[in-house]
Amino acid sequence: MYCYVILDSKSRFLDKSFTYHIPDKIKNKIKKGMRVIVPFGKGNKNTIAFVYDIVENIDDDFETKDIVEIIDSKALVDDELINLAFFMNKRYLSPLRSCIRQVLPAGNIKEIKEYFYKTENLDKNDNLYHIFESKKSLDDLLNKYDINKDILDKYKDKGLIDSYFDINSNQKINYQIFVSLKENFDDSKISKNAKKQKDIINYLRENKEVEYKKLLSKTKSSKNSFDALVKKNILNIRKIEVNKALVKDSERYDKFILNDEQNLAFRKIMENPDSSYLLKGVTGSGKTEVFLQVVEENLKKGKDSIILVPEISLTPQTIERFQGRFKQKIAIMHSRLSQKERFQQWRMIKNGEVKIVVGARSAIFAPFKNLGLIIIDEEHDKSYISSQDPKFHTDELALFRRAYNKATLIFASATPSIKTMTKTLDGEYNLLELKNRVNGKLPKVHIVDMREELKNSNYSMISSLLYEKINEKLKRDEQVILFLNKIGHNSFTFCRHCGYVIKCEACDVSMTYHKNVSKLVCHYCGRTKNQPTICPSCGSKKIKEFGAGTEKLEEEIKELFPKAKVIRMDSMTAKDKSTYNSMYKNMKDNKVDILIGTQMIAKGLDFDNVTLVGIISADLSLNIDDYTAYETSFELLTQVSGRAGRADKKGEVIIQTYRPDNFVINAASKNDYQGFYNYEIESRKAFEYPPFVDLITIKILDKSRIKCMDISKKIKYYLDLEYEKDREIKIIGPNPCKISRINNKYRYNIIIKLKDEKLEEISDFLIRLKNYFINKSKDTSILVALNPSDIN
DNA sequence: AGCACGCCGACT
DNA sequence: GTCGGCGTGCTC
């Protein structure tokens, strides 16, 4: 017998399957999903590996080594999730290890320990009773108590003891490593040839303390030279912990009686739970109550539920409702939990201690054994497409798990994505509609032509109508939300004399002025610069900011409405969860009159007292050069508008635009989803974009532009060789990415358009091609994605 | 990533 | 010669 394993190693060169022989004595103990120790490399170093498959025979011609031993006595993950990992590997062309990692419990796989404890079957007179009275880790049992694995297995088989997984409570979280020189170091031992080591020392002399990765890249040196210096006792190393998070209790949330529409949707789902649904409901139509009742039914059947929300920012209020309703423990899964916390949530789910998980896209991997329901709320949201490896689409994984478990799958949105709507019209999902708001009123929408404002000499960001309306609402003590899709003070700084634009030194983008830190900031790499007073190119003093962001808007508003309490919510001000939560609470408690925000506030925030929403510039997202620009804009405008008038007060929306005739803006203002869909689907068809074709993007990144271009051309050459004659496959590029350089790495892309039945054929070829180039050129990154949310 | 191999310049 | 640095290639 042989098994296929993935090594626990970070190197991308080892990101592939290895085959080991299973010695007879562990043959009947080893299972898929367990960790094992294997001899690896020339020194046969003992390495942790994950078994993803077991086979009787292999026909490969390489020699196989024997597995040393099994680490776990039961599988960390079951077949469903292992299969899901391979599904991702194949479909999204993502590195195999990243796919396996995704379905494994979070955190360092080495830190996961198996703990043994007694069951009620263990007799008090058993001579091992005292040992298992309290839980013991496998390590301790083997080393301190001198109990061998055979005894453990025997006891376990008889049901006298059981085990579970945990990680060390003193487990270390993420570290950033800072390096400096020791005070009285002795550099006499450094040979004259060690140029790199001297570079490092000199760099540290100038910069005192430097972050490890930065140090290596700045001095262009390798880990080799660094390690040599550590050995010679020259460097000080300081580690700093990053990130933290928490979970809390919530108030009772009582059950509502469903209205007719809600009830119809609910009944249809319950009639046929083994299928998929699209619940299309206008904002404020009470989708959440339908979810809650479906989950309740699912709980009655003893089944588990996964509820997905687009952003971490939405989890607190969703959790509040589910916890408030069901009065039971609910697991949370999202990216801002620490490794330890994530592991604890994973363990609760795995051990069956919870039946409900609420979370962002990664919660789709919740290791439930009896999954009965998956809900994807705000289904259209881009965050359901992962932009890191594995670059999965949550809807596709949900379909996979739904089919495997014969579960119910519900997509929900006021503005379904083109993809989901098309599948619904094709009959793949059943359509359920909630056409009316619970309180019966949709907001009234006004479109303001900003060109007219300019003609009337109003140069501010606020039109006269918006100004009037804000005043009116403030007088009535109602709340206002202003939406602007751009953070910072200004979009860029440029010279009125020569046209010079301040750009980031490491990226091909202009820098944004942030007044609170009075610096220019690059939103791609985080570098900052002082705002110059004279133009670095021509020396003119006419260098100034241009365009406006949320920070500038906040200033204008404070000037226009000095008495109003204003807060600004964007990725700069609401960086961590606690500030976000306090802003949310202040808004809810009516301590804020005007909320200014970006994308962040478009998603499902419900404030009963908000009666006016102002969209400062509806055009911004329309101009993005991406085939999804119209779809995203329509969603955004509709969602933001939906923030107005959620309770019994009537809401109003003001959309400011320079393009009042634009189709998307008009459709959004009339809440005309169908009109929008019909228009957009035609254009996707005409220009051959998803859902009519699949796009595979290949991004090539390298510090040298020449090398980047060279490798890109070679990849294109091989692709052409294979597919040039195939009329179902189009290969575009290589072209420089729209942002042609980020963090000093040049970026090229190749885009492949293909009919989806060709995907399988091309993906095998692409994986081989990618591996070939990765092994050939170590400093080049090659990133492949299927239908990414951002093709640039 | 970790390790061996082999090339190269600098020093005995 | 010979030693250490450093680039390259391989790992079931």
Side-chain angles (χ1 to χ4, degrees):
Chain A
M1 269 166 90
Y2 299 85
C3 65
Y4 295 117
V5 303
I6 298 286
L7 297 172
D8 176 41
S9 149
K10 277 168 206 126
S11 163
R12 66 171 162 150
F13 305 109
L14 297 179
D15 184 40
K16 53 181 176 185
S17 174
F18 288 89
T19 313
Y20 282 85
H21 177 252
I22 304 173
D24 285 347
K25 63 169 192 163
I26 57 171
K27 234 178 192 170
N28 42 14
K29 289 179 198 165
I30 194 164
K31 297 231 167 55
K32 272 198 237 180
M34 286 178 177
R35 290 171 300 168
V36 291
I37 291 175
V38 296
F40 186 73
K42 295 202 174 111
N44 281 335
K45 199 185 165 220
N46 279 350
T47 308
I48 295 180
F50 176 81
V51 178
Y52 70 80
D53 207 1
I54 296 171
V55 292
E56 285 298 325
N57 290 302
I58 46 165
D59 49 10
D60 306 273
D61 53 0
F62 46 69
E63 301 240 323
T64 53
K65 295 178 184 173
D66 274 16
I67 285 185
V68 177
E69 63 172 314
I70 308 177
I71 296 178
D72 307 313
S73 68
K74 60 183 179 192
L76 278 172
V77 272
D78 56 23
D79 279 4
E80 183 194 0
L81 290 180
I82 295 177
N83 292 343
L84 188 63
F86 279 88
F87 173 76
M88 291 194 284
N89 175 236
K90 194 151 180 124
R91 176 151 177 87
Y92 307 115
L93 305 125
S94 294
L96 183 54
R97 186 179 306 112
S98 74
C99 300
I100 296 283
R101 265 194 117 85
Q102 185 67 253
V103 300
L104 284 174
N108 188 342
I109 197 164
K110 288 192 186 95
E111 302 287 337
I112 299 169
K113 298 257 159 74
E114 193 174 3
Y115 288 88
F116 293 83
Y117 61 95
K118 69 170 178 69
T119 66
E120 60 268 34
N121 300 330
L122 186 64
D123 194 80
K124 274 209 170 128
N125 300 319
D126 193 294
N127 52 6
L128 296 180
Y129 186 84
H130 66 284
I131 293 178
F132 292 111
E133 215 169 355
S134 63
K135 64 164 194 183
K136 295 283 185 308
S137 76
L138 184 62
D139 285 1
D140 285 355
L141 289 168
L142 296 178
N143 301 319
K144 287 188 196 160
Y145 295 92
D146 210 27
I147 288 178
N148 63 39
K149 270 206 148 160
D150 292 338
I151 299 178
L152 282 176
D153 289 333
K154 218 182 277 167
Y155 270 63
K156 224 184 158 187
D157 288 345
K158 286 184 190 160
L160 303 175
I161 57 170
D162 206 349
S163 70
Y164 68 96
F165 294 106
D166 204 347
I167 43 173
N168 286 343
S169 51
N170 53 1
Q171 196 233 353
K172 312 212 160 59
I173 315 172
N174 288 332
Y175 285 109
Q176 240 184 324
I177 301 166
F178 289 91
V179 185
S180 57
L181 292 168
K182 284 232 157 95
E183 224 157 272
N184 304 307
F185 64 89
D186 172 20
D187 58 357
S188 59
K189 277 178 261 165
I190 299 175
S191 94
K192 282 171 195 167
N193 292 331
K195 223 179 108 250
K196 290 291 170 192
Q197 299 184 23
K198 283 178 189 159
D199 284 355
I200 293 177
I201 292 182
N202 286 333
Y203 190 79
L204 286 171
R205 275 208 179 101
E206 281 167 39
N207 294 282
K208 287 196 172 136
E209 194 177 59
V210 186
E211 202 268 321
Y212 172 72
K213 278 184 188 145
K214 189 179 168 187
L215 178 69
L216 292 194
S217 76
K218 283 281 179 187
T219 55
K220 296 195 177 66
S221 48
S222 68
K223 202 173 67 56
N224 260 345
S225 325
F226 180 83
D227 288 345
L229 286 172
V230 174
K231 240 186 214 166
K232 288 171 189 140
N233 199 25
I234 288 173
L235 301 179
N236 260 329
I237 292 168
R238 190 167 65 96
K239 289 175 167 183
I240 286 187
E241 221 181 81
V242 226
N243 85 73
K244 265 213 163 91
L246 38 90
V247 181
K248 57 161 181 135
D249 252 1
S250 37
E251 283 170 42
R252 247 184 101 86
Y253 187 70
D254 287 323
K255 197 165 169 175
F256 288 97
I257 293 172
L258 298 177
N259 65 26
D260 291 350
E261 270 187 345
Q262 287 171 319
N263 197 31
L264 184 67
F266 172 75
R267 278 205 341 263
K268 277 193 176 167
I269 294 167
M270 292 336 297
E271 266 166 32
N272 188 8
D274 181 10
S275 58
S276 309
Y277 296 89
L278 166 61
L279 179 59
K280 179 175 177 296
V282 293
T283 50
S285 60
K287 291 190 287 280
T288 311
E289 188 57 35
V290 178
F291 299 160
L292 283 161
Q293 302 207 11
V294 176
V295 171
E296 192 182 339
E297 292 302 312
N298 200 50
L299 283 174
K300 279 185 199 160
K301 288 186 217 156
K303 291 193 171 180
D304 309 313
S305 309
I306 296 176
I307 294 105
L308 301 179
V309 289
E311 284 291 320
I312 309 151
S313 55
L314 276 181
T315 40
Q317 47 166 319
T318 313
I319 298 234
E320 236 172 74
R321 289 184 182 172
F322 279 82
Q323 219 170 45
R325 173 70 52 89
F326 298 116
K327 290 168 247 144
Q328 55 174 280
K329 245 200 282 179
I330 288 172
I332 306 174
M333 283 176 97
H334 63 66
S335 59
R336 282 205 215 162
L337 299 179
S338 71
Q339 275 190 7
K340 167 84 180 163
E341 286 167 323
R342 245 186 279 182
F343 187 88
Q344 296 303 353
Q345 302 296 317
W346 179 88
R347 193 170 66 84
M348 272 163 43
I349 300 167
K350 183 83 182 163
N351 293 343
E353 291 165 33
V354 294
K355 309 237 97 204
I356 301 172
V357 59
V358 173
R361 60 167 184 258
S362 58
I364 195 65
F365 301 104
F368 282 129
K369 285 188 193 79
N370 196 9
L371 185 62
L373 172 66
I374 303 170
I375 294 173
I376 305 186
D377 194 17
E378 308 291 347
E379 160 284 326
H380 58 273
D381 198 280
K382 288 273 185 296
S383 75
Y384 285 122
I385 302 171
S386 169
S387 50
Q388 284 160 341
D389 285 330
K391 294 182 177 121
F392 62 89
H393 291 233
T394 309
D395 58 334
E396 294 166 6
L397 303 190
L399 283 165
F400 183 102
R401 294 203 74 181
R402 191 215 73 72
Y404 195 98
N405 293 285
K406 299 196 183 314
T408 312
L409 170 59
I410 306 174
F411 295 99
S413 175
T415 52
S417 65
I418 296 288
K419 180 183 181 186
T420 299
M421 196 42 157
T422 306
K423 284 191 168 190
T424 306
L425 295 175
D426 287 349
E428 233 178 288
Y429 310 149
N430 305 301
L431 181 65
L432 308 168
E433 279 194 274
L434 303 179
K435 290 182 177 159
N436 301 305
R437 278 196 163 187
V438 171
N439 68 21
K441 291 164 245 165
L442 269 173
K444 191 176 173 204
V445 182
H446 315 265
I447 296 179
V448 174
D449 185 349
M450 290 304 274
R451 293 171 303 185
E452 293 296 317
E453 298 290 316
L454 285 179
K455 274 187 207 157
N456 300 329
S457 320
N458 176 6
Y459 300 108
S460 91
M461 295 166 79
I462 311 291
S463 62
S464 45
L465 179 68
L466 184 56
Y467 176 80
E468 247 171 63
K469 291 283 180 190
I470 294 177
N471 249 334
E472 184 187 316
K473 305 297 174 190
L474 290 180
K475 267 180 206 151
R476 280 198 259 154
D477 265 333
E478 292 170 355
Q479 290 170 299
V480 177
I481 289 180
L482 297 179
F483 174 82
L484 181 59
N485 204 7
K486 201 176 250 180
I487 63 169
H489 195 256
N490 298 92
S491 36
F492 55 95
T493 292
F494 90 106
C495 174
R496 268 63 170 170
H497 186 73
C498 70
Y500 180 83
V501 176
I502 308 274
K503 286 195 160 189
C504 173
E505 64 199 42
C507 311
D508 178 33
V509 289
S510 52
M511 294 177 88
T512 307
Y513 183 57
H514 284 256
K515 205 175 183 186
N516 56 351
V517 289
S518 58
K519 287 245 155 106
L520 288 159
V521 180
C522 170
H523 286 172
Y524 285 85
C525 71
R527 277 180 175 76
T528 60
K529 224 189 245 185
N530 287 325
Q531 171 85 319
T533 47
I534 56 164
C535 172
S537 168
C538 72
S540 154
K541 281 183 185 168
K542 287 189 173 172
I543 189 152
K544 256 191 85 182
E545 319 81 81
F546 181 80
T550 43
E551 202 178 332
K552 174 94 175 289
L553 177 63
E554 184 185 14
E555 259 170 43
E556 270 198 30
I557 290 292
K558 280 181 171 164
E559 221 168 274
L560 290 169
F561 309 99
K563 282 181 196 152
K565 274 158 278 164
V566 182
I567 56 167
R568 171 165 64 94
M569 205 186 242
D570 57 35
S571 54
M572 299 297 283
T573 62
K575 239 187 172 119
D576 57 285
K577 223 164 54 178
S578 64
T579 22
Y580 178 88
N581 285 344
S582 78
M583 282 182 180
Y584 174 77
K585 201 165 179 312
N586 283 340
M587 188 69 188
K588 193 140 203 164
D589 296 345
N590 248 326
K591 286 178 188 156
V592 175
D593 299 310
I594 301 174
L595 170 68
I596 294 172
T598 51
Q599 307 269 27
M600 200 178 260
I601 62 168
K603 290 171 188 166
L605 288 182
D606 290 349
F607 302 114
D608 290 350
N609 199 31
V610 172
T611 53
L612 175 64
V613 166
I615 295 164
I616 302 303
S617 177
D619 312 329
L620 285 174
S621 56
L622 284 175
N623 297 328
I624 298 166
D625 171 23
D626 186 308
Y627 76 95
T628 58
Y630 272 27
E631 182 177 355
T632 315
S633 299
F634 180 79
E635 285 159 4
L636 204 57
L637 292 176
T638 313
Q639 299 286 335
V640 176
S641 305
R643 301 306 115 216
R646 306 231 359 144
D648 43 358
K649 292 170 193 158
K650 192 166 165 53
E652 284 182 89
V653 176
I654 294 176
I655 300 178
Q656 300 190 153
T657 174
Y658 290 93
R659 298 160 70 177
D661 303 323
N662 178 277
F663 181 81
V664 173
I665 289 175
N666 277 291
S669 76
K670 286 181 222 139
N671 207 13
D672 178 15
Y673 177 84
Q674 206 50 52
F676 166 74
Y677 177 83
N678 294 340
Y679 175 91
E680 182 66 14
I681 198 77
E682 279 310 312
S683 109
R684 297 282 177 94
K685 196 174 192 172
F687 296 106
E688 294 191 311
Y689 276 116
F692 297 97
V693 295
D694 280 319
L695 297 180
I696 295 175
T697 62
I698 306 171
K699 235 182 277 177
I700 301 98
L701 275 55
D702 196 287
K703 288 208 161 147
S704 147
R705 200 176 65 83
I706 308 283
K707 219 177 127 202
C708 192
M709 203 163 65
D710 182 51
I711 289 174
S712 306
K713 278 184 181 160
K714 280 182 181 146
I715 292 176
K716 158 85 164 168
Y717 171 80
Y718 286 113
L719 281 169
D720 278 345
L721 222 54
E722 194 79 9
Y723 296 110
E724 208 170 21
K725 288 184 192 111
D726 195 325
R727 291 180 61 230
E728 309 263 82
I729 295 172
K730 275 186 195 163
I731 302 155
I732 304 152
N735 290 310
C737 294
K738 204 184 311 148
I739 296 165
S740 66
R741 187 173 53 124
I742 292 178
N743 229 340
N744 279 325
K745 280 196 171 173
Y746 288 88
R747 303 151 56 83
Y748 275 77
N749 68 27
I750 296 170
I751 295 174
I752 307 172
K753 270 187 186 182
L754 66 154
K755 295 274 180 223
D756 52 349
E757 59 269 20
K758 288 273 168 180
L759 189 59
E760 196 148 332
E761 177 190 338
I762 204 167
S763 78
D764 288 337
F765 180 75
L766 268 175
I767 286 174
R768 271 184 286 132
L769 194 62
K770 183 181 164 184
N771 287 337
Y772 172 75
F773 278 100
I774 278 178
N775 283 322
K776 241 179 114 174
S777 36
K778 296 201 173 198
D779 306 319
T780 315
S781 323
I782 300 169
L783 311 170
V784 186
L786 172 75
N787 298 327
S789 60
D790 180 4
I791 59 169
N792 296 297

